[in-house]
Amino acid sequence: MRTAVFGGSFDPPHNGHLALCLYARELAGVERLIVSVSKNPFKALADASDDDRAAMATLLVAEINAAGAFAEMSGWELRQPGPSYTIDLLRHVAALHPGDDLVLLVGEDSYRQMPQWRESREIAQLCDIAVFGRSGSVLAVGSCGETLPPATLIDFDMPVSATEVRRLAAAGQPISHLVPPPIAAYIASHGLYRV
Ligand code: ATP
């Protein structure tokens, strides 16, 4: 089975994440998708808690699965005692699903940081990497030279970020055009991102 891993802080999940996951099923042939909520060591006071991010990622997964179930939320990284690294998550998924073809889904901004990731060469040996274009990225993918691991580049342009959603929510402005309705409702009912 082709299993994809999509990690993020999901603070909050937004329409870019949703579209990326649905694209992955169509374009990267993903049959199982693991949406993993990462730790947020740089958490600011107004950022959502681990529990809220996990709850919103569960709502994201429900939205993804509305088009046919293939995704699951994982809180494995949040339960690890130390810092969480993508290589450890991938080894965990490989042990859970032996024999599966693994593919890591990343946005272009994350991909360009991969040379700084722990064991990035081992990541590329363990899985395929599918990179989704991200508008606003300063460099085109590939322009960093050979330090970037081999990857499949997917043409993708969804100009939305969690930073922008948090900024609007903090200002009391509408976010319903940027996040799925259940996540907008969760943010409102839990008063998230209000400073
Ligand atoms: P923040 O604005 O807080 O940095 P974010 O919008 O980048 O958050 P994350 O949860 O950090 O959201 O992202 C998880 C993954 O999804 C990363 O690989 C990121 O590059 C990718 N991603 C997020 N939004 C988009 C988007 N609009 N287009 C393409 N990739 C995206």
Side-chain angles (χ1 to χ4, degrees), residues 6-10 14 16-17 20 106-110 132-134 156 158 160-163 166:
F6 183 47
S9 48
F10 300 111
H14 52 64
H17 298 131
L20 186 156
V106 288
E108 187 180 341
D109 55 320
S110 303
F132 291 74
R134 186 147 195 197
F156 187 74
M158 281 285 290
V160 45
S161 71
T163 303
R166 292 194 300 274

Side-chain angles (χ1 to χ4, degrees), residues 8-193:
S9 48
F10 300 111
D11 191 17
H14 52 64
N15 289 339
H17 298 131
L18 176 60
L20 186 156
C21 292
L22 296 176
Y23 254 58
R25 178 160 55 180
E26 298 310 316
L27 298 183
V30 172
E31 296 161 293
R32 180 193 351 251
L33 171 66
I34 296 173
V35 174
S36 178
V37 181
S38 61
K39 292 186 176 173
N40 182 5
F42 307 111
K43 183 181 176 314
L45 206 57
D47 291 349
S49 67
D50 289 356
D51 284 350
D52 282 328
R53 292 186 299 116
M56 291 190 286
T58 301
L59 294 173
L60 173 71
V61 160
E63 290 293 299
I64 297 166
N65 287 341
F70 84 121
E72 56 197 75
M73 197 283 288
S74 171
W76 183 83
E77 288 184 87
L78 295 177
R79 295 193 298 273
Q80 299 315 296
S84 82
Y85 297 106
T86 299
I87 185 67
D88 299 324
L89 172 65
L90 287 165
R91 287 182 177 136
H92 167 68
V93 171
L96 270 184
H97 302 294
D100 278 15
D101 285 336
L102 298 186
V103 54
L104 179 68
L105 310 180
V106 288
E108 187 180 341
D109 55 320
S110 303
Y111 176 62
R112 285 190 290 103
Q113 293 166 357
M114 277 193 78
Q116 281 89 54
W117 290 11
R118 188 181 179 118
E119 297 186 59
S120 59
R121 282 172 198 277
E122 285 75 9
I123 290 177
Q125 284 162 6
L126 202 59
C127 64
D128 295 334
I129 301 170
V131 180
F132 291 74
R134 186 147 195 197
S135 42
S137 287
V138 180
L139 296 173
V141 168
S143 59
C144 290
E146 49 300 321
T147 52
L148 286 168
T152 302
L153 310 182
I154 295 178
D155 194 12
F156 187 74
D157 187 13
M158 281 285 290
V160 45
S161 71
T163 303
E164 176 68 356
V165 177
R166 292 194 300 274
R167 188 187 69 75
L168 290 172
Q173 291 178 8
I175 55 167
S176 54
H177 55 303
L178 299 177
V179 300
I183 293 175
Y186 188 100
I187 290 169
S189 65
H190 289 76
L192 299 186
Y193 309 122

